Amino acid sequence: MSGKTVKFTNMSPDITKFQNDIRAKYAIANQTAKKGQILFVGSSLMEIFPIEKFQQEQDLGLDKIIYNRGVRATTTADLLEHMDTLIFDLAPSKIFINIGSNDIGFNVPENVFLANYDTILQQIKEKLPDTVVYVMAYYPINTVDDFGEKESEHNQLYEHRSNELNAAASAKVEKLAQKNGYEFINVNAGLTDSSGNLRKELTFDGAHMLPNGYEIVLENMKRYLE
């Protein structure tokens, strides 16, 4: 796979500004952050994971701080452009990565998406050889229930998103994790209904989870956090 990154998204100026602003905030926070801690990195699915709040409010039994460096609408290409701010500046001892769902949703060609992901893992292995990396399976989604959006908004969001596409991509990402010597983890147990869709009460739009959904994910993740 080629290490060249190619962008296929046409992001709105508002989203681009938000991404730049949050990365700038992270860059400042990184200056005083403790090295060798636990890092969560990825797109909005990681950004809205209230893991830092959970750690403050719950006794997770950890001797390390969890830092969240998720950024909404981020693709694998975006992450590759900002590896220093989002990963390397923190020199974490453990990384949980969930990236690529936007590549799927934005219909980025699979060979490009997987090549980018492979390069991300290769760079981590090269620059952080002692870091433990957990490559996460994609979360289930719910395209069937009504979350109050307009039909046009629903169709736009889910034109290239489905549980079948996520499952197929997860299988390919698992192979990339194995290739690079990292563990692939699926922490989705308890998130789906009898039809395999993300449970309606756990999501506000079918694609992004509420805190109660992340509580389930956290419970599934605890054995990897220790």
PDB file of all heavy atoms in Angstrom, residues 5-9 11 43 73-80 98-117 120 138 160-161 165-166 169:
ATOM      1  N   THR A   5      -1.101  10.261   1.043  1.00  0.00           N
ATOM      2  CA  THR A   5      -2.446  10.567   1.524  1.00  0.00           C
ATOM      3  C   THR A   5      -3.178  11.422   0.505  1.00  0.00           C
ATOM      4  O   THR A   5      -2.609  12.321  -0.095  1.00  0.00           O
ATOM      5  CB  THR A   5      -2.404  11.317   2.866  1.00  0.00           C
ATOM      6  OG1 THR A   5      -1.756  12.575   2.680  1.00  0.00           O
ATOM      7  CG2 THR A   5      -1.652  10.521   3.908  1.00  0.00           C
ATOM      8  N   VAL A   6      -4.441  11.112   0.311  1.00  0.00           N
ATOM      9  CA  VAL A   6      -5.272  11.855  -0.632  1.00  0.00           C
ATOM     10  C   VAL A   6      -6.571  12.216   0.056  1.00  0.00           C
ATOM     11  O   VAL A   6      -7.186  11.367   0.697  1.00  0.00           O
ATOM     12  CB  VAL A   6      -5.577  11.023  -1.893  1.00  0.00           C
ATOM     13  CG1 VAL A   6      -6.405  11.830  -2.878  1.00  0.00           C
ATOM     14  CG2 VAL A   6      -4.281  10.544  -2.535  1.00  0.00           C
ATOM     15  N   LYS A   7      -6.998  13.462  -0.069  1.00  0.00           N
ATOM     16  CA  LYS A   7      -8.256  13.892   0.528  1.00  0.00           C
ATOM     17  C   LYS A   7      -9.369  13.858  -0.513  1.00  0.00           C
ATOM     18  O   LYS A   7      -9.196  14.318  -1.633  1.00  0.00           O
ATOM     19  CB  LYS A   7      -8.128  15.306   1.105  1.00  0.00           C
ATOM     20  CG  LYS A   7      -7.409  15.359   2.434  1.00  0.00           C
ATOM     21  CD  LYS A   7      -7.682  16.685   3.121  1.00  0.00           C
ATOM     22  CE  LYS A   7      -7.082  16.701   4.519  1.00  0.00           C
ATOM     23  NZ  LYS A   7      -7.429  17.924   5.244  1.00  0.00           N
ATOM     24  N   PHE A   8     -10.518  13.323  -0.099  1.00  0.00           N
ATOM     25  CA  PHE A   8     -11.668  13.241  -0.983  1.00  0.00           C
ATOM     26  C   PHE A   8     -12.846  14.014  -0.416  1.00  0.00           C
ATOM     27  O   PHE A   8     -13.932  13.937  -0.946  1.00  0.00           O
ATOM     28  CB  PHE A   8     -12.060  11.778  -1.209  1.00  0.00           C
ATOM     29  CG  PHE A   8     -11.151  11.067  -2.163  1.00  0.00           C
ATOM     30  CD1 PHE A   8      -9.944  10.566  -1.728  1.00  0.00           C
ATOM     31  CD2 PHE A   8     -11.495  10.922  -3.493  1.00  0.00           C
ATOM     32  CE1 PHE A   8      -9.097   9.914  -2.610  1.00  0.00           C
ATOM     33  CE2 PHE A   8     -10.655  10.269  -4.384  1.00  0.00           C
ATOM     34  CZ  PHE A   8      -9.447   9.767  -3.940  1.00  0.00           C
ATOM     35  N   THR A   9     -12.640  14.742   0.675  1.00  0.00           N
ATOM     36  CA  THR A   9     -13.750  15.450   1.300  1.00  0.00           C
ATOM     37  C   THR A   9     -13.782  16.905   0.858  1.00  0.00           C
ATOM     38  O   THR A   9     -12.771  17.489   0.500  1.00  0.00           O
ATOM     39  CB  THR A   9     -13.625  15.404   2.831  1.00  0.00           C
ATOM     40  OG1 THR A   9     -12.406  16.038   3.211  1.00  0.00           O
ATOM     41  CG2 THR A   9     -13.603  13.977   3.320  1.00  0.00           C
ATOM     42  N   MET A  11     -14.972  19.770   2.855  1.00  0.00           N
ATOM     43  CA  MET A  11     -15.475  20.204   4.140  1.00  0.00           C
ATOM     44  C   MET A  11     -15.919  21.657   4.104  1.00  0.00           C
ATOM     45  O   MET A  11     -15.311  22.484   3.448  1.00  0.00           O
ATOM     46  CB  MET A  11     -14.378  20.026   5.204  1.00  0.00           C
ATOM     47  CG  MET A  11     -14.913  19.697   6.565  1.00  0.00           C
ATOM     48  SD  MET A  11     -15.748  18.110   6.609  1.00  0.00           S
ATOM     49  CE  MET A  11     -14.369  17.011   6.374  1.00  0.00           C
ATOM     50  N   SER A  43     -12.063  10.332  15.308  1.00  0.00           N
ATOM     51  CA  SER A  43     -12.993  11.322  14.771  1.00  0.00           C
ATOM     52  C   SER A  43     -13.995  11.737  15.841  1.00  0.00           C
ATOM     53  O   SER A  43     -13.730  11.639  17.034  1.00  0.00           O
ATOM     54  CB  SER A  43     -13.704  10.736  13.543  1.00  0.00           C
ATOM     55  OG  SER A  43     -14.437   9.582  13.923  1.00  0.00           O
ATOM     56  N   ALA A  73     -15.358  14.983  12.150  1.00  0.00           N
ATOM     57  CA  ALA A  73     -15.219  14.973  10.682  1.00  0.00           C
ATOM     58  C   ALA A  73     -13.812  14.597  10.213  1.00  0.00           C
ATOM     59  O   ALA A  73     -13.481  14.775   9.047  1.00  0.00           O
ATOM     60  CB  ALA A  73     -15.635  16.311  10.074  1.00  0.00           C
ATOM     61  N   THR A  74     -13.008  14.075  11.122  1.00  0.00           N
ATOM     62  CA  THR A  74     -11.640  13.704  10.774  1.00  0.00           C
ATOM     63  C   THR A  74     -11.618  12.395   9.986  1.00  0.00           C
ATOM     64  O   THR A  74     -12.300  11.438  10.318  1.00  0.00           O
ATOM     65  CB  THR A  74     -10.780  13.563  12.044  1.00  0.00           C
ATOM     66  OG1 THR A  74     -10.522  14.866  12.568  1.00  0.00           O
ATOM     67  CG2 THR A  74      -9.461  12.881  11.774  1.00  0.00           C
ATOM     68  N   THR A  75     -10.807  12.378   8.942  1.00  0.00           N
ATOM     69  CA  THR A  75     -10.569  11.175   8.149  1.00  0.00           C
ATOM     70  C   THR A  75      -9.157  10.671   8.446  1.00  0.00           C
ATOM     71  O   THR A  75      -8.378  11.316   9.152  1.00  0.00           O
ATOM     72  CB  THR A  75     -10.678  11.468   6.653  1.00  0.00           C
ATOM     73  OG1 THR A  75      -9.654  12.418   6.294  1.00  0.00           O
ATOM     74  CG2 THR A  75     -12.052  12.045   6.302  1.00  0.00           C
ATOM     75  N   THR A  76      -8.820   9.528   7.857  1.00  0.00           N
ATOM     76  CA  THR A  76      -7.455   9.021   8.010  1.00  0.00           C
ATOM     77  C   THR A  76      -6.440  10.007   7.441  1.00  0.00           C
ATOM     78  O   THR A  76      -5.353  10.176   7.999  1.00  0.00           O
ATOM     79  CB  THR A  76      -7.306   7.663   7.306  1.00  0.00           C
ATOM     80  OG1 THR A  76      -7.771   7.778   5.953  1.00  0.00           O
ATOM     81  CG2 THR A  76      -8.089   6.574   8.020  1.00  0.00           C
ATOM     82  N   ALA A  77      -6.781  10.660   6.347  1.00  0.00           N
ATOM     83  CA  ALA A  77      -5.870  11.644   5.758  1.00  0.00           C
ATOM     84  C   ALA A  77      -5.669  12.833   6.700  1.00  0.00           C
ATOM     85  O   ALA A  77      -4.547  13.335   6.852  1.00  0.00           O
ATOM     86  CB  ALA A  77      -6.405  12.127   4.409  1.00  0.00           C
ATOM     87  N   ASP A  78      -6.749  13.289   7.332  1.00  0.00           N
ATOM     88  CA  ASP A  78      -6.637  14.394   8.286  1.00  0.00           C
ATOM     89  C   ASP A  78      -5.723  14.015   9.451  1.00  0.00           C
ATOM     90  O   ASP A  78      -4.888  14.809   9.883  1.00  0.00           O
ATOM     91  CB  ASP A  78      -8.017  14.771   8.839  1.00  0.00           C
ATOM     92  CG  ASP A  78      -8.956  15.327   7.788  1.00  0.00           C
ATOM     93  OD1 ASP A  78      -8.481  16.054   6.906  1.00  0.00           O
ATOM     94  OD2 ASP A  78     -10.157  15.028   7.858  1.00  0.00           O
ATOM     95  N   LEU A  79      -5.915  12.813   9.979  1.00  0.00           N
ATOM     96  CA  LEU A  79      -5.089  12.388  11.109  1.00  0.00           C
ATOM     97  C   LEU A  79      -3.625  12.334  10.709  1.00  0.00           C
ATOM     98  O   LEU A  79      -2.754  12.771  11.465  1.00  0.00           O
ATOM     99  CB  LEU A  79      -5.559  11.013  11.612  1.00  0.00           C
ATOM    100  CG  LEU A  79      -4.776  10.423  12.790  1.00  0.00           C
ATOM    101  CD1 LEU A  79      -4.709  11.387  13.972  1.00  0.00           C
ATOM    102  CD2 LEU A  79      -5.396   9.099  13.223  1.00  0.00           C
ATOM    103  N   LEU A  80      -3.340  11.835   9.510  1.00  0.00           N
ATOM    104  CA  LEU A  80      -1.950  11.766   9.061  1.00  0.00           C
ATOM    105  C   LEU A  80      -1.316  13.151   8.974  1.00  0.00           C
ATOM    106  O   LEU A  80      -0.111  13.295   9.202  1.00  0.00           O
ATOM    107  CB  LEU A  80      -1.883  11.087   7.690  1.00  0.00           C
ATOM    108  CG  LEU A  80      -1.751   9.567   7.718  1.00  0.00           C
ATOM    109  CD1 LEU A  80      -1.884   8.993   6.310  1.00  0.00           C
ATOM    110  CD2 LEU A  80      -0.428   9.154   8.338  1.00  0.00           C
ATOM    111  N   ASN A  98      -9.740   5.008  16.885  1.00  0.00           N
ATOM    112  CA  ASN A  98     -10.978   4.730  16.154  1.00  0.00           C
ATOM    113  C   ASN A  98     -11.079   5.764  15.040  1.00  0.00           C
ATOM    114  O   ASN A  98     -11.564   6.874  15.243  1.00  0.00           O
ATOM    115  CB  ASN A  98     -12.184   4.809  17.091  1.00  0.00           C
ATOM    116  CG  ASN A  98     -13.467   4.320  16.437  1.00  0.00           C
ATOM    117  OD1 ASN A  98     -13.599   4.331  15.221  1.00  0.00           O
ATOM    118  ND2 ASN A  98     -14.416   3.890  17.261  1.00  0.00           N
ATOM    119  N   ILE A  99     -10.588   5.416  13.879  1.00  0.00           N
ATOM    120  CA  ILE A  99     -10.534   6.348  12.755  1.00  0.00           C
ATOM    121  C   ILE A  99     -10.950   5.610  11.479  1.00  0.00           C
ATOM    122  O   ILE A  99     -10.679   4.418  11.345  1.00  0.00           O
ATOM    123  CB  ILE A  99      -9.111   6.949  12.595  1.00  0.00           C
ATOM    124  CG1 ILE A  99      -9.106   8.114  11.605  1.00  0.00           C
ATOM    125  CG2 ILE A  99      -8.103   5.889  12.202  1.00  0.00           C
ATOM    126  CD1 ILE A  99      -9.810   9.350  12.096  1.00  0.00           C
ATOM    127  N   GLY A 100     -11.623   6.309  10.585  1.00  0.00           N
ATOM    128  CA  GLY A 100     -11.986   5.721   9.310  1.00  0.00           C
ATOM    129  C   GLY A 100     -13.463   5.686   9.019  1.00  0.00           C
ATOM    130  O   GLY A 100     -13.874   5.473   7.870  1.00  0.00           O
ATOM    131  N   SER A 101     -14.299   5.896  10.037  1.00  0.00           N
ATOM    132  CA  SER A 101     -15.739   5.876   9.779  1.00  0.00           C
ATOM    133  C   SER A 101     -16.139   7.010   8.830  1.00  0.00           C
ATOM    134  O   SER A 101     -17.076   6.857   8.029  1.00  0.00           O
ATOM    135  CB  SER A 101     -16.532   5.969  11.082  1.00  0.00           C
ATOM    136  OG  SER A 101     -16.194   7.128  11.802  1.00  0.00           O
ATOM    137  N   ASN A 102     -15.432   8.123   8.893  1.00  0.00           N
ATOM    138  CA  ASN A 102     -15.731   9.214   7.960  1.00  0.00           C
ATOM    139  C   ASN A 102     -15.231   8.900   6.557  1.00  0.00           C
ATOM    140  O   ASN A 102     -15.843   9.334   5.570  1.00  0.00           O
ATOM    141  CB  ASN A 102     -15.132  10.530   8.450  1.00  0.00           C
ATOM    142  CG  ASN A 102     -15.912  11.120   9.602  1.00  0.00           C
ATOM    143  OD1 ASN A 102     -17.138  11.071   9.627  1.00  0.00           O
ATOM    144  ND2 ASN A 102     -15.213  11.668  10.581  1.00  0.00           N
ATOM    145  N   ASP A 103     -14.131   8.169   6.452  1.00  0.00           N
ATOM    146  CA  ASP A 103     -13.684   7.722   5.132  1.00  0.00           C
ATOM    147  C   ASP A 103     -14.780   6.891   4.479  1.00  0.00           C
ATOM    148  O   ASP A 103     -15.069   7.043   3.290  1.00  0.00           O
ATOM    149  CB  ASP A 103     -12.411   6.885   5.251  1.00  0.00           C
ATOM    150  CG  ASP A 103     -11.227   7.673   5.768  1.00  0.00           C
ATOM    151  OD1 ASP A 103     -11.209   8.016   6.963  1.00  0.00           O
ATOM    152  OD2 ASP A 103     -10.311   7.967   4.977  1.00  0.00           O
ATOM    153  N   ILE A 104     -15.388   5.996   5.276  1.00  0.00           N
ATOM    154  CA  ILE A 104     -16.477   5.175   4.772  1.00  0.00           C
ATOM    155  C   ILE A 104     -17.655   6.066   4.378  1.00  0.00           C
ATOM    156  O   ILE A 104     -18.204   5.960   3.281  1.00  0.00           O
ATOM    157  CB  ILE A 104     -16.910   4.147   5.826  1.00  0.00           C
ATOM    158  CG1 ILE A 104     -15.747   3.224   6.205  1.00  0.00           C
ATOM    159  CG2 ILE A 104     -18.092   3.319   5.312  1.00  0.00           C
ATOM    160  CD1 ILE A 104     -15.995   2.401   7.453  1.00  0.00           C
ATOM    161  N   GLY A 105     -18.038   6.958   5.286  1.00  0.00           N
ATOM    162  CA  GLY A 105     -19.189   7.820   5.051  1.00  0.00           C
ATOM    163  C   GLY A 105     -19.003   8.809   3.923  1.00  0.00           C
ATOM    164  O   GLY A 105     -19.971   9.168   3.236  1.00  0.00           O
ATOM    165  N   PHE A 106     -17.752   9.263   3.720  1.00  0.00           N
ATOM    166  CA  PHE A 106     -17.467  10.209   2.639  1.00  0.00           C
ATOM    167  C   PHE A 106     -17.147   9.483   1.332  1.00  0.00           C
ATOM    168  O   PHE A 106     -16.784  10.118   0.344  1.00  0.00           O
ATOM    169  CB  PHE A 106     -16.293  11.120   3.011  1.00  0.00           C
ATOM    170  CG  PHE A 106     -16.547  11.993   4.217  1.00  0.00           C
ATOM    171  CD1 PHE A 106     -15.484  12.421   5.003  1.00  0.00           C
ATOM    172  CD2 PHE A 106     -17.826  12.382   4.575  1.00  0.00           C
ATOM    173  CE1 PHE A 106     -15.692  13.229   6.126  1.00  0.00           C
ATOM    174  CE2 PHE A 106     -18.047  13.186   5.682  1.00  0.00           C
ATOM    175  CZ  PHE A 106     -16.984  13.611   6.456  1.00  0.00           C
ATOM    176  N   ASN A 107     -17.236   8.146   1.348  1.00  0.00           N
ATOM    177  CA  ASN A 107     -17.002   7.327   0.162  1.00  0.00           C
ATOM    178  C   ASN A 107     -15.579   7.479  -0.376  1.00  0.00           C
ATOM    179  O   ASN A 107     -15.349   7.478  -1.596  1.00  0.00           O
ATOM    180  CB  ASN A 107     -18.019   7.654  -0.940  1.00  0.00           C
ATOM    181  CG  ASN A 107     -18.186   6.512  -1.932  1.00  0.00           C
ATOM    182  OD1 ASN A 107     -17.976   5.352  -1.590  1.00  0.00           O
ATOM    183  ND2 ASN A 107     -18.558   6.839  -3.152  1.00  0.00           N
ATOM    184  N   VAL A 108     -14.623   7.604   0.526  1.00  0.00           N
ATOM    185  CA  VAL A 108     -13.219   7.593   0.122  1.00  0.00           C
ATOM    186  C   VAL A 108     -12.901   6.208  -0.440  1.00  0.00           C
ATOM    187  O   VAL A 108     -13.293   5.194   0.156  1.00  0.00           O
ATOM    188  CB  VAL A 108     -12.302   7.901   1.327  1.00  0.00           C
ATOM    189  CG1 VAL A 108     -10.832   7.744   0.948  1.00  0.00           C
ATOM    190  CG2 VAL A 108     -12.569   9.306   1.850  1.00  0.00           C
ATOM    191  N   PRO A 109     -12.223   6.117  -1.567  1.00  0.00           N
ATOM    192  CA  PRO A 109     -11.890   4.799  -2.119  1.00  0.00           C
ATOM    193  C   PRO A 109     -11.197   3.922  -1.078  1.00  0.00           C
ATOM    194  O   PRO A 109     -10.316   4.381  -0.352  1.00  0.00           O
ATOM    195  CB  PRO A 109     -10.952   5.134  -3.287  1.00  0.00           C
ATOM    196  CG  PRO A 109     -11.398   6.495  -3.728  1.00  0.00           C
ATOM    197  CD  PRO A 109     -11.767   7.216  -2.466  1.00  0.00           C
ATOM    198  N   GLU A 110     -11.603   2.680  -1.029  1.00  0.00           N
ATOM    199  CA  GLU A 110     -11.113   1.789   0.009  1.00  0.00           C
ATOM    200  C   GLU A 110      -9.588   1.667   0.011  1.00  0.00           C
ATOM    201  O   GLU A 110      -8.962   1.623   1.066  1.00  0.00           O
ATOM    202  CB  GLU A 110     -11.749   0.405  -0.151  1.00  0.00           C
ATOM    203  CG  GLU A 110     -11.387  -0.550   0.956  1.00  0.00           C
ATOM    204  CD  GLU A 110     -12.068  -1.891   0.798  1.00  0.00           C
ATOM    205  OE1 GLU A 110     -11.520  -2.758   0.076  1.00  0.00           O
ATOM    206  OE2 GLU A 110     -13.165  -2.074   1.379  1.00  0.00           O
ATOM    207  N   ASN A 111      -8.989   1.607  -1.173  1.00  0.00           N
ATOM    208  CA  ASN A 111      -7.534   1.453  -1.210  1.00  0.00           C
ATOM    209  C   ASN A 111      -6.826   2.665  -0.602  1.00  0.00           C
ATOM    210  O   ASN A 111      -5.779   2.530   0.042  1.00  0.00           O
ATOM    211  CB  ASN A 111      -7.051   1.213  -2.647  1.00  0.00           C
ATOM    212  CG  ASN A 111      -7.285   2.408  -3.558  1.00  0.00           C
ATOM    213  OD1 ASN A 111      -8.369   2.984  -3.566  1.00  0.00           O
ATOM    214  ND2 ASN A 111      -6.290   2.776  -4.331  1.00  0.00           N
ATOM    215  N   VAL A 112      -7.412   3.845  -0.774  1.00  0.00           N
ATOM    216  CA  VAL A 112      -6.829   5.062  -0.199  1.00  0.00           C
ATOM    217  C   VAL A 112      -6.995   5.061   1.320  1.00  0.00           C
ATOM    218  O   VAL A 112      -6.048   5.311   2.077  1.00  0.00           O
ATOM    219  CB  VAL A 112      -7.481   6.322  -0.806  1.00  0.00           C
ATOM    220  CG1 VAL A 112      -6.993   7.581  -0.098  1.00  0.00           C
ATOM    221  CG2 VAL A 112      -7.177   6.401  -2.290  1.00  0.00           C
ATOM    222  N   PHE A 113      -8.201   4.769   1.767  1.00  0.00           N
ATOM    223  CA  PHE A 113      -8.517   4.726   3.193  1.00  0.00           C
ATOM    224  C   PHE A 113      -7.614   3.724   3.920  1.00  0.00           C
ATOM    225  O   PHE A 113      -7.003   4.029   4.955  1.00  0.00           O
ATOM    226  CB  PHE A 113     -10.003   4.391   3.325  1.00  0.00           C
ATOM    227  CG  PHE A 113     -10.430   3.669   4.569  1.00  0.00           C
ATOM    228  CD1 PHE A 113     -10.040   4.085   5.826  1.00  0.00           C
ATOM    229  CD2 PHE A 113     -11.272   2.570   4.468  1.00  0.00           C
ATOM    230  CE1 PHE A 113     -10.466   3.416   6.972  1.00  0.00           C
ATOM    231  CE2 PHE A 113     -11.716   1.903   5.597  1.00  0.00           C
ATOM    232  CZ  PHE A 113     -11.289   2.323   6.854  1.00  0.00           C
ATOM    233  N   LEU A 114      -7.489   2.528   3.384  1.00  0.00           N
ATOM    234  CA  LEU A 114      -6.687   1.504   4.049  1.00  0.00           C
ATOM    235  C   LEU A 114      -5.197   1.823   3.988  1.00  0.00           C
ATOM    236  O   LEU A 114      -4.463   1.548   4.941  1.00  0.00           O
ATOM    237  CB  LEU A 114      -6.966   0.133   3.417  1.00  0.00           C
ATOM    238  CG  LEU A 114      -8.379  -0.411   3.638  1.00  0.00           C
ATOM    239  CD1 LEU A 114      -8.565  -1.715   2.879  1.00  0.00           C
ATOM    240  CD2 LEU A 114      -8.660  -0.619   5.132  1.00  0.00           C
ATOM    241  N   ALA A 115      -4.743   2.416   2.885  1.00  0.00           N
ATOM    242  CA  ALA A 115      -3.342   2.827   2.789  1.00  0.00           C
ATOM    243  C   ALA A 115      -3.020   3.890   3.835  1.00  0.00           C
ATOM    244  O   ALA A 115      -1.968   3.853   4.488  1.00  0.00           O
ATOM    245  CB  ALA A 115      -3.027   3.342   1.390  1.00  0.00           C
ATOM    246  N   ASN A 116      -3.926   4.840   4.001  1.00  0.00           N
ATOM    247  CA  ASN A 116      -3.727   5.877   5.018  1.00  0.00           C
ATOM    248  C   ASN A 116      -3.663   5.266   6.416  1.00  0.00           C
ATOM    249  O   ASN A 116      -2.796   5.621   7.230  1.00  0.00           O
ATOM    250  CB  ASN A 116      -4.869   6.891   4.969  1.00  0.00           C
ATOM    251  CG  ASN A 116      -4.815   7.810   3.766  1.00  0.00           C
ATOM    252  OD1 ASN A 116      -3.809   7.885   3.074  1.00  0.00           O
ATOM    253  ND2 ASN A 116      -5.913   8.492   3.502  1.00  0.00           N
ATOM    254  N   TYR A 117      -4.588   4.370   6.701  1.00  0.00           N
ATOM    255  CA  TYR A 117      -4.629   3.740   8.026  1.00  0.00           C
ATOM    256  C   TYR A 117      -3.340   2.959   8.267  1.00  0.00           C
ATOM    257  O   TYR A 117      -2.752   3.002   9.358  1.00  0.00           O
ATOM    258  CB  TYR A 117      -5.843   2.810   8.126  1.00  0.00           C
ATOM    259  CG  TYR A 117      -6.402   2.651   9.521  1.00  0.00           C
ATOM    260  CD1 TYR A 117      -7.773   2.584   9.735  1.00  0.00           C
ATOM    261  CD2 TYR A 117      -5.568   2.561  10.641  1.00  0.00           C
ATOM    262  CE1 TYR A 117      -8.306   2.444  11.016  1.00  0.00           C
ATOM    263  CE2 TYR A 117      -6.093   2.420  11.917  1.00  0.00           C
ATOM    264  CZ  TYR A 117      -7.457   2.357  12.093  1.00  0.00           C
ATOM    265  OH  TYR A 117      -7.969   2.214  13.375  1.00  0.00           O
ATOM    266  N   ILE A 120      -0.618   5.347   9.151  1.00  0.00           N
ATOM    267  CA  ILE A 120      -0.771   5.813  10.534  1.00  0.00           C
ATOM    268  C   ILE A 120      -0.142   4.817  11.496  1.00  0.00           C
ATOM    269  O   ILE A 120       0.655   5.184  12.378  1.00  0.00           O
ATOM    270  CB  ILE A 120      -2.264   6.012  10.873  1.00  0.00           C
ATOM    271  CG1 ILE A 120      -2.829   7.221  10.132  1.00  0.00           C
ATOM    272  CG2 ILE A 120      -2.463   6.188  12.387  1.00  0.00           C
ATOM    273  CD1 ILE A 120      -4.351   7.306  10.165  1.00  0.00           C
ATOM    274  N   TYR A 138     -15.324  -0.601  14.322  1.00  0.00           N
ATOM    275  CA  TYR A 138     -16.285   0.489  14.164  1.00  0.00           C
ATOM    276  C   TYR A 138     -17.571   0.182  14.917  1.00  0.00           C
ATOM    277  O   TYR A 138     -18.004  -0.957  14.991  1.00  0.00           O
ATOM    278  CB  TYR A 138     -16.558   0.748  12.685  1.00  0.00           C
ATOM    279  CG  TYR A 138     -15.313   1.159  11.955  1.00  0.00           C
ATOM    280  CD1 TYR A 138     -14.765   0.357  10.961  1.00  0.00           C
ATOM    281  CD2 TYR A 138     -14.642   2.325  12.304  1.00  0.00           C
ATOM    282  CE1 TYR A 138     -13.595   0.724  10.324  1.00  0.00           C
ATOM    283  CE2 TYR A 138     -13.474   2.698  11.669  1.00  0.00           C
ATOM    284  CZ  TYR A 138     -12.942   1.892  10.683  1.00  0.00           C
ATOM    285  OH  TYR A 138     -11.775   2.249  10.068  1.00  0.00           O
ATOM    286  N   HIS A 160     -23.638   6.519   2.334  1.00  0.00           N
ATOM    287  CA  HIS A 160     -22.514   5.579   2.266  1.00  0.00           C
ATOM    288  C   HIS A 160     -22.187   5.004   3.645  1.00  0.00           C
ATOM    289  O   HIS A 160     -21.043   4.628   3.911  1.00  0.00           O
ATOM    290  CB  HIS A 160     -21.274   6.274   1.689  1.00  0.00           C
ATOM    291  CG  HIS A 160     -21.476   6.839   0.325  1.00  0.00           C
ATOM    292  ND1 HIS A 160     -21.666   6.044  -0.795  1.00  0.00           N
ATOM    293  CD2 HIS A 160     -21.552   8.125  -0.113  1.00  0.00           C
ATOM    294  CE1 HIS A 160     -21.821   6.811  -1.846  1.00  0.00           C
ATOM    295  NE2 HIS A 160     -21.769   8.076  -1.466  1.00  0.00           N
ATOM    296  N   ARG A 161     -23.168   4.937   4.523  1.00  0.00           N
ATOM    297  CA  ARG A 161     -22.949   4.390   5.862  1.00  0.00           C
ATOM    298  C   ARG A 161     -23.953   3.270   6.121  1.00  0.00           C
ATOM    299  O   ARG A 161     -25.137   3.434   5.879  1.00  0.00           O
ATOM    300  CB  ARG A 161     -23.114   5.477   6.942  1.00  0.00           C
ATOM    301  CG  ARG A 161     -22.129   6.628   6.837  1.00  0.00           C
ATOM    302  CD  ARG A 161     -22.403   7.667   7.918  1.00  0.00           C
ATOM    303  NE  ARG A 161     -21.732   8.916   7.663  1.00  0.00           N
ATOM    304  CZ  ARG A 161     -20.546   9.250   8.160  1.00  0.00           C
ATOM    305  NH1 ARG A 161     -19.907   8.401   8.944  1.00  0.00           N
ATOM    306  NH2 ARG A 161     -19.998  10.416   7.884  1.00  0.00           N
ATOM    307  N   LEU A 165     -21.271  -2.081   5.791  1.00  0.00           N
ATOM    308  CA  LEU A 165     -20.025  -1.428   5.380  1.00  0.00           C
ATOM    309  C   LEU A 165     -19.053  -1.323   6.551  1.00  0.00           C
ATOM    310  O   LEU A 165     -17.842  -1.540   6.388  1.00  0.00           O
ATOM    311  CB  LEU A 165     -20.318  -0.041   4.811  1.00  0.00           C
ATOM    312  CG  LEU A 165     -20.978   0.013   3.434  1.00  0.00           C
ATOM    313  CD1 LEU A 165     -21.375   1.448   3.089  1.00  0.00           C
ATOM    314  CD2 LEU A 165     -20.039  -0.548   2.373  1.00  0.00           C
ATOM    315  N   ASN A 166     -19.569  -0.979   7.735  1.00  0.00           N
ATOM    316  CA  ASN A 166     -18.703  -0.874   8.904  1.00  0.00           C
ATOM    317  C   ASN A 166     -18.079  -2.218   9.262  1.00  0.00           C
ATOM    318  O   ASN A 166     -16.892  -2.298   9.611  1.00  0.00           O
ATOM    319  CB  ASN A 166     -19.484  -0.327  10.101  1.00  0.00           C
ATOM    320  CG  ASN A 166     -19.716   1.168  10.023  1.00  0.00           C
ATOM    321  OD1 ASN A 166     -19.260   1.825   9.086  1.00  0.00           O
ATOM    322  ND2 ASN A 166     -20.425   1.710  10.988  1.00  0.00           N
ATOM    323  N   ALA A 169     -15.378  -3.068   6.734  1.00  0.00           N
ATOM    324  CA  ALA A 169     -14.188  -2.250   6.953  1.00  0.00           C
ATOM    325  C   ALA A 169     -13.447  -2.687   8.209  1.00  0.00           C
ATOM    326  O   ALA A 169     -12.214  -2.714   8.240  1.00  0.00           O
ATOM    327  CB  ALA A 169     -14.576  -0.778   7.048  1.00  0.00           C
TER     328      ALA A 169
END
